């Protein structure tokens, strides 16, 4: 059973925009929060944006604050990441994640072993 499916990655020039989508199963979406992470080659995976799906509250990493916007469509069990003013350092594999049944989000961290999507590649050229 595929629980999280990302889409929308691609290649763009610096200063451009992309919108990522993460479609979740209904059960996964009801976990109460969903997040976007990214991992660049040779670097650790980092949390960049979280949304609490009941309240709409959001959190952002300093590296993307003011440029990226996380949003949701509860009718579609889908979370989006609008990425503007992209920089070459934004190049990474982007992953959607959600907590397991007993898990939770705390800012940009998900407790326990999160449920991960397979990822979508974003490449920003200078």
């Amino acid at each position: 059973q595929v629980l999280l499916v990302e889409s929308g990655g691609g290649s763009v020039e610096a200063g451009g925009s992309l919108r990522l989508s993460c479609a979740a199963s209904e059960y996964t979406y009801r976990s109460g929060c969903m997040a976007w992470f990214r991992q660049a080659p040779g670097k650790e995976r980092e949390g960049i944006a979280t949304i609490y799906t009941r309240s709409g509250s959001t959190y952002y990493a300093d590296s993307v604050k003011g440029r990226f916007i996380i949003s949701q469509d509860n009718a579609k069990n889908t979370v989006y990441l609008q990425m503007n003013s992209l920089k070459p350092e934004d190049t990474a594999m982007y992953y959607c994640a959600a907590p397991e049944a007993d898990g939770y989000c705390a800012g940009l961290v998900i407790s326990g072993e999160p449920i991960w999507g397979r990822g979508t590649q974003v490449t920003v050229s200078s």
Side-chain angles (χ1 to χ4, degrees):
Q1 182 181 4
V2 179
L3 302 177
L4 294 172
V5 180
E6 303 97 334
S7 61
S11 297
V12 65
E13 292 185 350
S17 298
L18 285 173
R19 188 176 83 154
L20 307 184
S21 299
C22 175
S25 66
E26 184 171 353
Y27 180 79
T28 301
Y29 196 79
R30 278 194 264 134
S31 69
C33 64
M34 292 180 65
W36 286 98
F37 289 71
R38 68 184 181 185
Q39 187 168 20
K43 295 188 176 180
E44 292 187 357
R45 191 174 296 186
E46 62 168 336
I48 57 172
T50 298
I51 188 165
Y52 288 83
T53 53
R54 297 188 184 98
S55 68
S57 297
T58 57
Y59 292 88
Y60 295 95
D62 288 343
S63 58
V64 305
K65 197 174 295 182
R67 300 188 298 123
F68 291 11
I69 301 171
I70 188 170
S71 63
Q72 64 192 46
D73 185 334
N74 291 339
K76 296 181 179 180
N77 296 338
T78 298
V79 170
Y80 303 96
L81 186 68
Q82 178 66 43
M83 304 186 296
N84 301 318
S85 302
L86 283 161
K87 305 174 181 179
E89 51 263 45
D90 293 318
T91 295
M93 185 70 80
Y94 283 70
Y95 298 91
C96 181
E100 290 189 310
D102 297 329
Y104 57 89
C105 295
L108 298 174
V109 177
I110 298 179
S111 68
E113 287 294 327
I115 300 168
W116 295 101
R118 293 181 178 178
T120 185
Q121 178 68 37
V122 171
T123 302
V124 184
S125 58
S126 57

